[in-house]
Amino acid sequence: MAVDVGVFLPMLHGDGKGQAAEFAAAARRAEELGFESVWASDHLTGRAPMLDATVTLTMAAAVTTRIKVGHGVLTLPLHPVASLAKQLTSLQFLSQGRLLVGADTGGSAWAQWRGGLVDTPAWAAAEVPYAERDERTDQALEQLRSLLAGYPTQVGAAELNLRPRVAWPPFLVGGESEADLRRAIRHGGWFPNLASPAHLKRMIPRLSALAAETHDTAPWVSVAVPATLDAGGTGKRREAQADAVAHRYGIDAERAAATLVEGPPERAAEQMVEFARAGADRIVLSFPDTDWRTQYELAARAMKSARAVLPVRRTATAGSQTSCGGWARVTLDVERATGAYAFVNPLGDDALPGDLAEALEEGVRDGLAGQARAVRVRRAWVHEVDAHPRVFREAGRKAVAEALAAERAEAAAR
């Protein structure tokens, strides 16, 4: 199982004086070091000062060209859907499709991380009853799903149709209740906070069983974990860090210790491999240490070592156009691994009708024909929808060809 690694942007400390430039510097450095994504947290009030996540990610996107930008995570019930959809559409457009949207109800471990399960001032200011968080989250996810894909959508008393239409970004749903897991299945991504490899091994079969009930594919799994790396490898900070995590999140010390990525880069790499083999597709590291530069450097070394023993995943985007002007554009994550080919359409039939999904899958299979090893396509999503299956077949073939060509080029360079 391949794994992507992301990092949180630095947190503000004290009044944040002199830190403004560090956010841009951190985003640029994360991209230079090869991380897949950078992340920003979202809350109105809490235990520490924090900037608006979408504004912060827009800055990060503006100073980079490749790295993805993610919310970790939005509390959806607290955000008016219409304005949030406009912000997400704008960020997805300006970042040229690099957005990842982490979201939860405000009742998961993510809320505890931000500053308390019931962040009373935020809920009161938004005039949203905390008890309605599940219902409001479900409604917001469905509305955002439709609005970002460019479909007319009922929001309150009005029907909205946002332009420009953008690629529907991956949505990663936090929380561990059955309702949370079903949301994650519906929207294609699960994003627990403080989940150890052992916890993932217990939860992922549950996810798969729930997905099977509705004939869905189990979602991608991203996990956020605290990290404290130590170049010297003394391990002196491990016990103190585990105690701090246990106290802050209200979990026992054993679970806290199992959640941490810590120690020298060699040890951290082993832990990343454990997460990947337990089923994590993405690991997002947060650093309590104020020296983010050193932590990023050490984490990059660990990531490089982990990738040396894990399969490689490639992402490629390709398009196809008909002579009459029809256009389809798809993105695929192609991973060489042992196992059967799997096609995932997280958009669902509401955004990609079944005949077009079948045509896209057929094109992907054609592109994989004759490969020496099994190739699993873990994701496929559509940037433009055209009601012509031939266009989607060709786009699928091209996307696979581009992903495999990138893999061969990198292998040759090594």
Side-chain angles (χ1 to χ4, degrees):
M1 179 69 69
V3 68
D4 293 318
V5 181
V7 292
F8 272 91
L9 292 168
M11 293 182 64
L12 287 175
H13 299 280
D15 62 4
K17 200 171 192 178
Q19 278 192 267
E22 291 195 14
F23 286 83
R28 285 192 294 262
R29 188 59 182 145
E31 181 169 78
E32 292 168 355
L33 290 169
F35 291 111
E36 179 254 1
S37 49
V38 290
W39 298 77
S41 297
D42 170 69
H43 70 70
L44 181 63
T45 61
R47 64 167 52 89
M50 196 164 291
L51 302 174
D52 178 86
T54 304
V55 172
T56 303
L57 295 176
T58 302
M59 176 280 305
V63 298
T64 57
T65 59
R66 175 198 57 78
I67 200 166
K68 297 176 184 177
V69 294
H71 292 89
V73 296
L74 290 167
T75 303
L76 283 187
L78 297 178
H79 293 271
V81 170
S83 59
L84 178 60
K86 192 65 174 178
Q87 290 174 342
L88 297 181
T89 296
S90 300
L91 179 48
Q92 179 72 328
F93 179 85
L94 294 171
S95 69
Q96 299 182 63
R98 291 186 278 147
L99 178 61
L100 303 167
V101 184
D104 80 339
T105 65
S108 72
W110 280 104
Q112 183 73 12
W113 186 89
R114 290 189 299 266
L117 279 173
V118 183
D119 189 4
T120 304
W123 293 89
E127 299 182 337
V128 173
Y130 184 73
E132 296 179 8
R133 62 191 183 279
D134 284 291
E135 178 184 350
R136 288 174 177 261
T137 298
D138 286 330
Q139 182 181 53
L141 283 168
E142 294 303 324
Q143 290 170 327
L144 290 170
R145 182 187 185 97
S146 180
L147 286 166
L148 270 63
Y151 292 99
T153 305
Q154 195 72 27
V155 180
E159 184 177 82
L160 298 181
N161 191 0
L162 297 186
R163 290 291 188 270
R165 183 172 62 187
V166 296
W168 196 72
F171 271 67
L172 319 174
V173 179
E176 299 184 15
S177 70
E178 182 168 319
D180 293 326
L181 298 181
R182 291 190 184 280
R183 281 185 205 101
I185 292 165
R186 162 69 173 154
H187 298 284
W190 183 46
F191 197 10
N193 193 12
L194 300 172
S196 67
H199 187 66
L200 291 181
K201 288 179 181 179
R202 290 193 297 271
M203 293 296 294
I204 288 176
R206 184 180 170 196
L207 266 178
S208 299
L210 289 173
E213 291 178 7
T214 53
H215 305 287
D216 288 315
T217 303
W220 267 51
V221 177
S222 303
V223 59
V225 295
T228 302
L229 280 72
D230 180 2
T234 62
K236 293 180 179 179
R237 304 169 69 180
R238 174 181 172 80
E239 185 175 345
Q241 179 67 6
D243 289 343
V245 170
H247 175 74
R248 177 172 295 177
Y249 303 121
I251 61 177
D252 62 72
E254 183 177 354
R255 177 179 172 182
T259 298
L260 289 173
V261 171
E262 51 75 36
E266 296 76 16
R267 168 59 183 152
E270 293 173 358
Q271 293 164 331
M272 290 180 183
V273 171
E274 289 177 19
F275 274 105
R277 290 177 174 165
D281 298 289
R282 176 186 292 112
I283 304 168
V284 183
L285 304 174
S286 63
F287 304 100
D289 196 316
T290 58
D291 184 7
W292 63 265
R293 291 176 176 82
T294 298
Q295 293 297 300
Y296 278 21
E297 297 284 344
L298 296 173
R301 286 169 51 188
M303 175 179 64
K304 184 177 180 180
S305 296
R307 285 177 172 170
V309 297
L310 290 170
V312 176
R313 181 186 303 134
R314 288 289 174 270
T315 298
T317 299
S320 178
Q321 189 168 15
T322 64
S323 58
C324 59
W327 176 257
R329 192 165 178 81
V330 299
T331 300
L332 304 174
D333 285 331
V334 179
E335 173 185 325
R336 286 193 178 274
T338 302
Y341 165 80
F343 177 84
V344 181
N345 169 28
L347 287 178
D349 289 346
D350 50 352
L352 183 59
D355 62 332
L356 300 184
E358 290 175 6
L360 178 59
E361 181 174 4
E362 182 181 333
V364 172
R365 288 184 181 277
D366 288 347
L368 297 177
Q371 294 298 316
R373 289 185 290 168
V375 179
R376 181 168 55 239
V377 176
R378 296 300 305 271
R379 277 191 297 192
W381 65 93
V382 180
H383 296 256
E384 301 289 344
V385 174
D386 178 279
H388 197 304
R390 183 164 60 84
V391 181
F392 278 85
R393 280 194 293 271
E394 183 59 24
R397 282 193 290 267
K398 285 185 177 180
V400 169
E402 290 189 16
L404 298 182
E407 182 187 53
R408 288 191 294 269
E410 182 168 306
R414 290 197 301 267

